[in-house]
Amino acid sequence: MIGFNLTPEQNALQEKARRFAREVILPAAAVHDREGTFPLDIMRRAHAEGYLTPLVPRQYGGGGWGILDTCLLSEELAWGDMGIFVSIFVSTLALHPVIRFGTEDQKERFLRPFCSRYTLGSYCLSEPTAGSDPASLQTTATPDGNGYLLNGTKMWITNGGYADLFVVFATTDRQKKHGGIIALIVPGSSPGIRRGGPIDKMGQRASNTTAVTFRDVRVGRENLLGGEREGFKKAMAALDITRPMIGAGAVGLSRSALELAARYAQKRVQFGVPISHHQAIQFLLADMAIGIDAARLLVWRAASLADEGQRNSTEAAAAKAFAADVAMKVTTDAVQVYGAMGYTKYHPVEKLMRDAKVIQIYEGSAQIMRRIIARSILGRVP
């Protein structure tokens, strides 16, 4: 029988994360958005709480949480600030391929130190000319002795300016397209890594986003992740796990916008009554709540399938696509509820609207998500 009740442990996790978001993230969100600065202190506190390593097995010092557990965490942190949440979340994206495909030696060398001290990770797949089409990536891993020489530039890398560890996808043979892609674990201290300056973004300005260039970076074969076959599948497997978390983040951001809009609607008076008394405003708020609830249920389904060890590519794409669209609509409607004041920087809803847009772009665009879903539909047609 399908159930929607959380366990006592999950409720406790959720409440703890909610308190962290309310007391630590939210008070700093506006400053980091305005100045475009990276929240180093918050990141260190998040690491101390285990929020950077929730999926790492306990035997290596991590939380050993499930995917649904991590989605609960994601919603609460993103309620505080989507950009700060993404900075916390990206280490999970980087570490998941190591958790799933790494050798025991790699797990000991990279997971345990990551958990024991403040460390950040980055996931390096996108490039200036290879975003939605990773098979066309240009970064090369040329066999050299007992390892590889890594050359190329990665783009839109979250935590790129601060990461201590990169999981880099590169090709050993461009002619093989998907078949030539491998994954390499690259310490951030490796000679030949050049980090670009922070990109000045429209939204999620607290997250550090840069280009990262690798010039003759030597990577030992012992850092090859999962062998030389099916590197592309390893990249996609990580996204199947993390897309529900991004969807959960979108739900948290949307929930924040709805709460602000509802509160403002009860205070703002027009025609002699609070605007919350007007049906037009009530319908906006109701539709916002419906979308948030539906998005959360899609996220929970995709996460639950992953926790059960079932393939969830289609469900993860649906959760991410729908939740991203809901976030864009809910934040736009929140600005509408505020009226002219919502279009100013005196109120936070304009920030939420800016933060929402990129969710429809990163971790697979809205169109790529629909392509994944359509392929699944067509594959089932007799």
Side-chain angles (χ1 to χ4, degrees):
M1 181 177 179
I2 296 173
F4 299 98
N5 294 323
L6 301 179
T7 66
E9 293 78 14
Q10 289 171 328
N11 281 318
L13 180 160
Q14 188 181 56
E15 179 53 39
K16 183 181 177 182
R18 186 169 295 170
R19 187 165 56 251
F20 185 89
R22 183 175 60 248
E23 297 176 1
V24 178
I25 295 179
L26 186 61
V31 172
H32 288 294
D33 174 71
R34 183 172 61 251
E35 299 178 357
T37 49
F38 190 64
L40 275 170
D41 178 62
I42 294 175
M43 296 297 291
R44 291 192 177 97
R45 293 179 69 174
H47 181 271
E49 296 290 347
Y51 295 160
L52 272 66
T53 54
L55 296 185
V56 176
R58 291 177 181 172
Q59 68 192 86
Y60 304 108
W65 298 0
I67 310 304
L68 178 56
D69 298 337
T70 309
C71 285
L72 299 176
L73 168 70
S74 300
E75 179 179 335
E76 298 308 323
L77 298 185
W79 175 90
D81 183 82
M82 188 71 189
I84 294 174
F85 156 66
V86 166
S87 299
I88 293 169
F89 151 83
V90 161
S91 287
T92 292
L93 175 59
L95 291 179
H96 181 264
V98 183
I99 296 168
R100 182 165 177 183
F101 302 108
T103 64
E104 186 59 33
D105 171 69
Q106 290 169 343
K107 292 175 182 179
E108 285 288 344
R109 286 192 293 120
F110 296 111
L111 296 183
R112 192 176 299 282
F114 206 103
C115 295
S116 64
R117 63 177 183 271
Y118 171 68
T119 311
L120 292 179
S122 283
Y123 181 88
C124 298
L125 180 62
S126 295
E127 297 183 359
T129 59
S132 296
D133 180 20
S136 66
L137 61 80
Q138 301 295 304
T139 298
T140 58
T142 306
D144 182 69
N146 192 32
Y148 302 87
L149 284 180
L150 187 62
N151 283 280
T153 296
K154 295 296 183 177
M155 193 63 178
W156 314 115
I157 305 305
T158 302
N159 293 348
Y162 294 88
D164 305 285
L165 179 75
F166 297 99
V167 173
V168 184
F169 294 88
T171 181
T172 58
D173 185 346
R174 291 175 184 166
Q175 299 303 314
K176 292 182 179 179
K177 296 187 179 296
H178 298 91
I181 296 175
I182 63 172
L184 295 169
I185 308 170
V186 185
S189 59
S190 302
I193 297 177
R194 188 177 69 185
R195 306 162 192 255
I199 297 170
D200 193 10
K201 307 186 299 296
M202 178 173 78
Q204 299 193 21
R205 291 169 50 77
S207 70
N208 174 259
T209 308
T210 74
V212 179
T213 299
F214 302 90
R215 290 185 176 175
D216 287 332
V217 176
R218 188 171 298 278
V219 184
R221 191 171 183 83
E222 67 276 10
N223 286 9
L224 172 64
L225 187 56
E228 288 195 342
R229 299 186 62 185
E230 300 185 331
F232 178 75
K233 288 186 178 180
K234 297 177 179 65
M236 295 302 102
L239 294 175
D240 285 346
I241 296 300
T242 57
R243 279 172 179 156
M245 299 173 195
I246 287 293
V251 170
L253 182 151
S254 301
R255 200 182 86 212
S256 177
L258 172 58
E259 290 172 6
L260 289 166
R263 194 177 304 133
Y264 183 80
Q266 294 177 78
K267 293 179 180 178
R268 170 69 166 161
V269 174
Q270 289 287 275
F271 305 103
V273 296
I275 62 174
S276 60
H277 288 204
H278 299 303
Q279 190 180 67
I281 299 300
Q282 291 175 356
F283 282 7
L284 281 176
L285 296 174
D287 285 341
M288 293 159 79
I290 292 169
I292 291 169
D293 224 21
R296 183 183 291 112
L297 291 174
L298 282 173
V299 165
W300 284 16
R301 180 183 68 164
S304 296
L305 286 172
D307 279 334
E308 293 168 4
Q310 298 186 49
R311 184 173 182 181
N312 73 333
S313 299
T314 303
E315 292 80 6
K320 196 269 182 183
F322 187 79
D325 289 349
V326 164
M328 196 69 246
K329 185 179 187 308
V330 166
T331 55
T332 301
D333 286 348
V335 171
Q336 191 70 20
V337 169
Y338 272 74
M341 291 303 292
Y343 199 66
T344 72
K345 292 186 180 293
Y346 295 119
H347 293 278
V349 287
E350 66 84 26
K351 171 193 177 296
L352 298 181
M353 186 176 174
R354 289 187 285 107
D355 286 347
K357 180 56 199 174
V358 75
I359 309 174
Q360 295 176 313
I361 299 172
Y362 60 30
E363 288 256 344
S365 70
Q367 291 70 35
I368 292 298
M369 296 301 94
R370 284 160 172 80
R371 187 179 180 188
I372 292 170
I373 297 164
R375 282 179 173 177
S376 175
I377 294 167
L378 295 173
R380 295 195 300 266
V381 175

